[in-house]
Amino acid sequence: MKSLSDNIEDYIKSLLEANSTIKIQRNKLADKFKCVPSQINYVLKTRFSVERGYIIESYRGGNGYIKITKLSLDINQNLINRLYNIIGNYINQKQSFSIIERLFEEDIISFSEKSLLKTMVNRDSIGLSLPARDKVRARLLKNVLETLLREKG
Amino acid sequence: MKSLSDNIEDYIKSLLEANSTIKIQRNKLADKFKCVPSQINYVLKTRFSVERGYIIESYRGGNGYIKITKLSLDINQNLINRLYNIIGNYINQKQSFSIIERLFEEDIISFSEKSLLKTMVNRDSIGLSLPARDKVRARLLKNVLETLLREKG
DNA sequence: TAGATAAAGGTCAGAGTAGGTCAGAAAAGT
DNA sequence: ACTTTTCTGACCTACTCTGACCTTTATCTA
């Protein structure tokens, strides 16, 4: 059974299949899914983040809207560099999962590579307590991106 | 006389006969057997471990679930299991490289997966000093082997 | 035209829902 | 009696959803 958030996510993605940029109205969408408007913000925040390759812009006031753009980077090297720069000295599990998911969606890594990487940056695998864990994760992931640049760049 | 745990075990196994992957809800199941939810975790831990050929994944929050996968053990999986058991609580870089190399030679992982894994268990990627580094590496690698069991099973 | 009102969207705390962990009590073996 | 296994409950963590309150922009009206 899919959650409300999952359904809204699916709906937005289906819109993005026809067009890489779409405009939605928050209240209308909330109405369609019979939920509170801020639910839409929650979905955008958790599923359409920059790490996942989306840009969100919005405009308030009368005739306001939310614009969602799916970035499609043609040159992988650029994407890898960008992702690399998103990672600072620390990164949490959620963000790192988003980055790995992105690499998969852009065909830079295979499905099983995705699984392996997620396993590697998983908090239980690293097994340290914070903040050491987030620091190790950042290093692991940065090194992986470097390897990917060498291999697939 | 069968214990509660035995009964829950039997029930889960009967579900797994129809499908090698099932999703359950912890609270519902606990309800069905009139026990506390953590009893389910106990059963999963004692009867559905990796060593016994099962993989457990779960998701919290609304619409949360526990996913149980039964692995069909074949030759590769036996190898993976053996490698798994070789790894203790600590493993150094050299040993881990030979395990990864072995996985590659047995066609369990691809060339690029090999590169990624080596990057991950590399001492610079982990970046800690000994013995913490070898401990983290052991955990990482064990979890990777579990993932491989799930993926390539 | 300034000020009021309406019409968007944004933020954040907290309730709700679901699973995880761990120590210790209880029961079952030996 | 002692050891191992089972079972429970208290407390923890993760994800979802709502509602109250806030900001921005457009439009209407005195």
Side-chain angles (χ1 to χ4, degrees):
Chain A
M1 186 53 187
K2 290 201 168 182
S3 70
L4 175 57
S5 293
D6 291 337
N7 289 326
I8 296 173
E9 176 187 6
D10 288 350
Y11 176 70
I12 293 175
K13 286 193 170 163
S14 77
L15 294 181
L16 281 166
E17 247 158 56
N19 271 297
S20 67
T21 296
I22 59 165
K23 274 186 188 175
I24 57 167
Q25 291 216 286
R26 193 180 74 149
N27 292 335
K28 295 249 177 70
L29 194 52
D31 228 49
K32 186 183 173 75
F33 284 93
K34 294 193 187 1
C35 63
V36 110
S38 57
Q39 176 69 21
I40 308 300
N41 298 84
Y42 174 72
V43 173
L44 292 176
K45 194 177 166 193
T46 53
R47 278 114 159 129
F48 294 89
S49 61
V50 182
E51 298 100 80
R52 295 186 184 217
Y54 297 93
I55 300 271
I56 307 293
E57 294 160 282
S58 64
Y59 199 78
R60 299 190 194 188
N63 294 304
Y65 58 82
I66 299 176
K67 190 169 132 191
I68 307 169
T69 307
K70 165 121 188 80
L71 299 174
S72 63
L73 291 179
D74 31 20
I75 303 168
N76 286 343
Q77 202 153 349
N78 267 337
L79 172 62
I80 295 176
N81 274 321
R82 273 212 219 169
L83 293 177
Y84 190 95
N85 291 325
I86 289 175
I87 307 171
N89 289 325
Y90 298 86
I91 189 170
N92 66 34
Q93 175 169 304
K94 212 172 186 177
Q95 289 177 305
S96 66
F97 274 22
S98 296
I99 287 177
I100 293 167
E101 203 57 57
R102 184 77 199 286
L103 291 170
F104 172 64
E105 275 170 24
E106 299 290 344
D107 280 329
I108 295 172
I109 58 175
S110 68
F111 182 83
S112 63
E113 285 166 344
K114 178 178 85 171
S115 303
L116 287 178
L117 291 182
K118 279 193 175 176
T119 298
M120 282 289 203
V121 301
N122 183 33
R123 63 174 74 83
D124 298 326
S125 294
I126 299 173
L128 304 169
S129 50
L130 293 175
R133 191 168 70 221
D134 283 0
K135 199 170 183 179
V136 167
R137 183 184 292 114
R139 239 177 339 236
L140 286 173
L141 206 50
K142 279 183 165 181
N143 276 285
V144 161
L145 290 177
E146 283 179 24
T147 301
L148 287 175
L149 264 184
R150 264 196 307 276
E151 298 264 320
K152 329 242 169 174
Chain B
M1 187 52 190
K2 288 203 167 184
S3 69
L4 174 56
S5 291
D6 290 337
N7 289 327
I8 297 173
E9 177 186 5
D10 289 349
Y11 176 70
I12 293 175
K13 286 191 170 163
S14 78
L15 294 180
L16 281 166
E17 248 157 57
N19 268 298
S20 67
T21 295
I22 58 166
K23 273 187 187 175
I24 57 167
Q25 292 215 285
R26 191 180 75 149
N27 291 336
K28 295 248 177 71
L29 194 52
D31 229 49
K32 187 183 174 75
F33 284 92
K34 297 197 184 358
C35 61
V36 291
S38 58
Q39 176 69 21
I40 307 300
N41 297 84
Y42 174 72
V43 173
L44 292 176
K45 196 177 166 194
T46 53
R47 279 114 159 130
F48 295 89
S49 60
V50 183
E51 291 84 17
R52 294 183 185 223
Y54 298 92
I55 297 280
I56 307 294
E57 293 161 282
S58 66
Y59 198 76
R60 300 189 193 187
N63 289 297
Y65 58 81
I66 299 175
K67 191 169 132 191
I68 307 169
T69 306
K70 169 146 185 62
L71 303 169
S72 54
L73 287 175
D74 65 5
I75 297 166
N76 279 346
Q77 293 186 326
N78 276 331
L79 172 62
I80 295 174
N81 270 321
R82 252 184 294 138
L83 293 176
Y84 187 96
N85 292 324
I86 288 173
I87 307 171
N89 290 326
Y90 298 85
I91 190 170
N92 66 32
Q93 178 169 306
K94 201 172 180 181
Q95 291 173 304
S96 66
F97 274 23
S98 35
I99 286 179
I100 293 169
E101 207 55 61
R102 182 76 197 285
L103 291 169
F104 173 64
E105 277 165 21
E106 299 288 345
D107 279 327
I108 294 172
I109 60 175
S110 68
F111 182 82
S112 62
E113 285 167 348
K114 181 177 82 173
S115 303
L116 287 181
L117 291 184
K118 280 192 173 176
T119 298
M120 283 288 205
V121 301
N122 182 31
R123 63 174 71 83
D124 299 325
S125 292
I126 299 174
L128 303 167
S129 50
L130 291 173
R133 191 167 70 222
D134 283 2
K135 198 170 181 180
V136 167
R137 185 184 290 113
R139 236 175 339 232
L140 286 174
L141 207 50
K142 277 185 166 180
N143 277 284
V144 160
L145 291 176
E146 281 185 30
T147 300
L148 288 175
L149 271 182
R150 182 169 51 226
E151 289 286 312
K152 324 257 168 173

